[in-house]
Amino acid sequence: MSNIDLKSLEMEELEEVFIRLGEKKYRAHQTFKWIHQKMVSSINNITELPQGLRDKLNLNYNISKLKIVQRLDSKFDDTSKYLFMLDDRNIIESVLMKYKHGVSVCLSTQVGCRMGCEFCASTKGGLVRSLLPGEILEQFYQIQKDQGYKVTNIVLMGSGEPLDNYDNVLKFLKIIHDDEGQNLGYRHITISTCGLVPKIYDLADEEIPINLSISLHSPFDEERKKIMPIANRHSIYEIIEACYYYINKTKRRITFEYTLIYGVNDKKEDALEIVKLLKGMLCHVNLIPLNRIKEFIHTKSDEEAIRNFKDILIKNGINTTIRREMGADVNAACGQLRRDYIKNQNPFN
Ligand code: SAH
């Protein structure tokens, strides 16, 4: 049987581990701090624990760790892309983005993805596996250690669908928020989903005030189905209802991500339909110019179309921003770097 990852355990679970070993609870608190504050990558490095106890832990437990395979720093902006190797040699990627008001990281929640969005590189090879809470945390810890400063914001917008790995993502959130760990405020964390409606309700019921982002990409079900298979399972109407439920529970504003694709979803009728859908909702629209991938024939909308689209939304009272294209020279669109890396390792892939 493979060992259990101590980094993936919430405080109460860690206390149970030590109680089962016949130890005192305070050992769990010491261990938690060494793993989540000092960010150690092995049980042997928790020198506050007696050697005998470390040996005992090593029999059935480990601490998941990632190896940095590659770091690409953008020449144009303050973006760095990290390629990590997991213990089972799978590859994932994360992005660090420096803004005027803080430092943000974009983390992966799965190796690959099974949602099948046409324009997204992460999903092209399907889902390999979901990440453990410890493996999501470790991306954050490795980047902080590599950069030598504290990262202030997290977006779960890397490879994978966070709500398709619900239990592990929830554990990740609780651990990163723990005041004996990184103590990161929920308001500094954003989850992005393509719209797994039942899970949006579950998340709302947790009553943790994280930011929720919905990948909309078309206000018409029939058009949305052509680019996002999830639209066959849940209608836009169901998503909007779930969003109202989320807002009522958490009092948080929702962001709608909208990737603008030339001639596909950038017409005036699309913008006007978005206005109808979102009017009166506590929300914000983030327009993203399509980051071209070779598996998708379409291109991004031109600048004029993007500006016109934004103007229609703003004139009709919808808060809208255009996302800066960051890290274009380091393949910052989800999953592109990983795919290129795997291809280079195996030319037949
Ligand atoms: N699975 C989650 C989070 C991952 S992607 C989700 O679907 O929300 C984060 C955002 O980037 C999503 O809005 C996604 O639709 C968008 N995205 C993916 N590939 C893109 C590309 N090539 N160009 C622009 N946006 C893209």
Side-chain angles (χ1 to χ4, degrees), residues 99-151:
Y99 298 98
K100 269 187 235 114
H101 49 272
V103 186
S104 197
V105 287
C106 173
L107 307 180
S108 291
T109 53
Q110 295 180 312
V111 183
C113 181
R114 59 174 174 166
M115 294 298 123
C117 298
E118 293 292 339
F119 45 84
C120 180
S122 302
T123 195
K124 294 300 167 194
L127 175 68
V128 178
R129 72 170 174 87
S130 285
L131 295 181
L132 294 170
E135 293 169 329
I136 309 174
L137 290 159
E138 177 70 352
Q139 298 167 56
F140 186 79
Y141 297 171
Q142 285 280 349
I143 293 175
Q144 285 199 145
K145 284 198 274 188
D146 186 54
Q147 298 286 334
Y149 52 72
K150 220 170 153 49
V151 173

Side-chain angles (χ1 to χ4, degrees), residues 113 117 119-121 156-158 160-162 192-194 213 215 217 257 259 288-293 323 333-334:
C113 181
C117 298
F119 45 84
C120 180
L156 296 183
M157 288 189 188
E161 166 52 49
S192 176
T193 178
C194 62
S213 216
S215 298
H217 307 327
E257 286 157 273
T259 293
I288 315 167
L290 175 75
N291 205 326
R292 183 100 198 267
I293 63 164
R323 187 190 289 173
C334 313

Side-chain angles (χ1 to χ4, degrees), residues 290-308:
L290 175 75
N291 205 326
R292 183 100 198 267
I293 63 164
K294 52 183 169 302
E295 294 91 343
F296 188 56
I297 55 163
H298 296 283
T299 51
K300 67 179 171 191
S301 307
D302 53 63
E303 275 182 30
E304 198 190 335
I306 297 176
R307 240 178 300 120
N308 289 342

Side-chain angles (χ1 to χ4, degrees), residues 14 38-39 50 57 63 82 91 100 120 129 131 145 149 162 172 185 210-211 226 239 266 286 290 295 343:
L14 203 56
K38 295 186 195 278
M39 303 183 284
L57 283 171
I63 298 180
Y82 287 83
I91 298 288
K100 269 187 235 114
C120 180
R129 72 170 174 87
L131 295 181
K145 284 198 274 188
Y149 52 72
F172 157 79
I210 55 168
N211 306 304
K226 291 182 193 158
I239 293 178
D266 60 352
N286 197 207
L290 175 75
E295 294 91 343
K343 274 220 176 76

